Amino acid sequence: MSEGNIKSILNEERLFQPPTDFVKQAALSATELEQRYALAAQDSNAYWEKMATDLIVWDKPWSQVLDDSKAPNYKWFSGGELNVSANCLDVHLETRADKTAIIFEGEQGGVRRISYAELTSEVSRFANALKASGISCGDRVVIYMPMVPEAVIAMQACARIGAIHSVVFGGFSAVALRDRINDAGARMLITADGGFRGGSPVELKRAADEALSGGCPTIERVIVLQRTKQDVPMKVGRDIWWSDAIADQCDECAPLPVEASHPLFLLYTSGSTGKPKGVQHGSAGYLLNARLTYETVFDYQETDVFWCTADVGWITGHSYVAYGPLAAGATILMYEGSPTVPDAGRFWKICETHKVTVFYTAPTAIRALMRFGDEVPESYDLSSIRLLGSVGEPINPEAWTWYHRVIGREVCPIVDTWWQTETGGIMMSPVPSVTATPPGSCTQPLPGIAADIVDDQGNTVTSPELGGYLVIRKPWPSMLQTIWGDNDRYIETYWEKFHGRFYVAGDSAHTDKHGNFWIMGRIDDVLNVSGHRLGTMEVESALVSHEKVVEAAVVGRPDEIKGEAIFAYVVPCGARPSGDDAKALVKELRAWVSKQVGPIAKPDNIRFADSLPKTRSGKIMRRLLRTIASGEAITQDTSTLEDPSILDQLRGED
Ligand code: WTA
């Protein structure tokens, strides 16, 4: 961001109160929440100590709650020891051994239910298999698997013996996998023959072989789960089937106590430039906040069936599939495949069949499913759902309202959760039984999270009209520890801008008159139009609120007069218009945005496409769009694009 403040133009006045029935049954009362805020404000270390005492089983107590001697490489709960897997599994065996931990549904059908006792045995057996393959504490293990229970078993098994896992999303290419294996220096790869996604088998083992044949000198062994039964070559001496690896293993494996800050996992995130960053998370602080936020934000109740649709390849799938809910003793649902197989009702059918109570997904999925009309979800019984969540991008008020009305039947609160791979757990979100929520805002930081918005000089921005850098003023337990193998990059990326005074999230945000936070997009994407600095979110939101628009992305294009002109890429409802129809719609949309948010935000160019370029986790690739809008040659890696064929449309060349 250069000089000047970012201006907020989105004007959302509605406020949704927590429904009375929801408040009555809530896990956390307004008074208890108040007490937590009060303690955290008075003494944040005391607050985290209390949570760590209440929520984690320790093998050895900590001697220092926060060691800041090497800031910003903070150490939480120094001297303490625990095992993360024991905290997710063994702790439940006395009271919940037969409770279902995982309900799994494959894309082709086929349901499995795994109890806490069974999961503990499976994890132990696999942990013994890892040990038998020579894996020990501190070794890195890369997991490249479909969304099946064995992915969680593999993660938990690593945690059980202190090995550091790094899950690579199954949709990534061989090249992306190889880079991550090599950066992590992994000794083992755990994969599958394939997985079912989008109606056909995905060839994971083939991609894994391609990655390894290109040079991954540190890999000694590959464990292969048989999922699709497709024919795959097995390299003698290196590859072993999962079933053979566990065949002779005992189903008990004592969890290894590790230091509180022992790395639990690395998770690679693309970042805006350069090579992927291995975000490193520790054990105790990460687990504590994954569990705490799960219970607080999702109003955890013993009878819940919690479905977070994220793949385990993303942080959301780590914190709210593999760790947080299991630490709480919850029942989670895992679904292997695509939301539109065999049709666009699949998600809702799963909710109906398994009586899902809490549903957590991304705005990109909501917008995609919204496109199929209300009739699809309305033909399923969604009455078991009591709470809805959103994560990953700003949810535009239009999608929020649809989610609330059609999926939530106007009785479910929505928690719009803001957080990042780096933060490990949810940082800002409504607490559903307490917070009055405007559609599109992630509302307030949770207790102990010192979020703030500052200007270029690091001063707090107080005016609701103005945006700035979203920062976190104090360390929190689930913060990233470093970037694997590159601590300088850690400091430079997250701390240097304000000389180590606070963590810089890289997002722009503003508050409203109620003190609620609104995320405006990534700082790097902020538009500068005639000296006005606008977040991308607000212009996109205005476009999407038009009845003929499904999705929109706006970027800046260099302009001699205005500095930047606004270039909008729009996915229209139905067929892409051409000729005079296209011209008419462009005119209509420009007038619409002008009316909704003001002439300043009126797009100079609008181009229609059947879809937008997105990363595999569903985020719009605005940097790529900027390159296209300015007519420059594409230098970015487009191999991970979900649909590479739309590039021609975006260039206006088809
Ligand atoms: C964006 C996902 C607005 C934001 C957990 C953040 C959001 C980045 C929200 C992190 C939200 C995530 N509202 N924006 N509720 N949640 N973001 O690392 O830009 O995949 O910095 O973590 O997604 O994405 P990541």
Side-chain angles (χ1 to χ4, degrees), residues 92-101 114-119:
H92 304 306
L93 294 182
E94 226 168 84
T95 52
R96 301 188 181 93
D98 297 327
K99 178 173 175 178
T100 302
I114 305 170
S115 70
Y116 271 95
E118 289 162 343
L119 188 60

Side-chain angles (χ1 to χ4, degrees), residues 72 87 91 97 149 169 205 209 221 239 329 341 409 448 464 487 496 499 511 513-514 527 619:
N87 269 278
V91 295
F169 174 55
K205 178 64 162 63
D209 283 337
R221 183 157 284 270
D239 301 354
V341 172
R409 309 160 327 274
N487 201 49
E496 215 161 73
H499 315 292
T511 51
K513 60 183 180 216
H514 305 288
L527 310 160
K619 290 193 207 306

Side-chain angles (χ1 to χ4, degrees), residues 528-531 556-565:
N528 192 339
V529 184
S530 309
R557 171 177 61 74
D559 181 277
E560 273 185 19
I561 297 163
K562 297 201 236 183
E564 267 181 340

Side-chain angles (χ1 to χ4, degrees), residues 1 5-8 394 418 428 440-443 451-455 460-472 505-512 516-524 526 533-538:
M1 189 160 74
N5 282 92
I6 306 165
K7 198 169 157 55
S8 165
W418 178 86
M428 293 199 270
S441 160
C442 58
T443 69
D452 199 1
I453 297 168
V454 301
D455 63 18
T460 295
V461 175
T462 45
S463 161
E465 294 286 289
L466 299 176
Y469 293 85
L470 179 58
V471 299
I472 314 292
D507 284 353
S508 56
H510 72 95
T511 51
D512 64 17
N516 286 321
F517 284 70
W518 295 75
I519 307 295
M520 301 164 78
R522 299 291 295 168
I523 281 280
D524 296 345
V526 165
R533 303 176 55 72
L534 309 172
T536 50
M537 160 65 186
E538 301 181 308

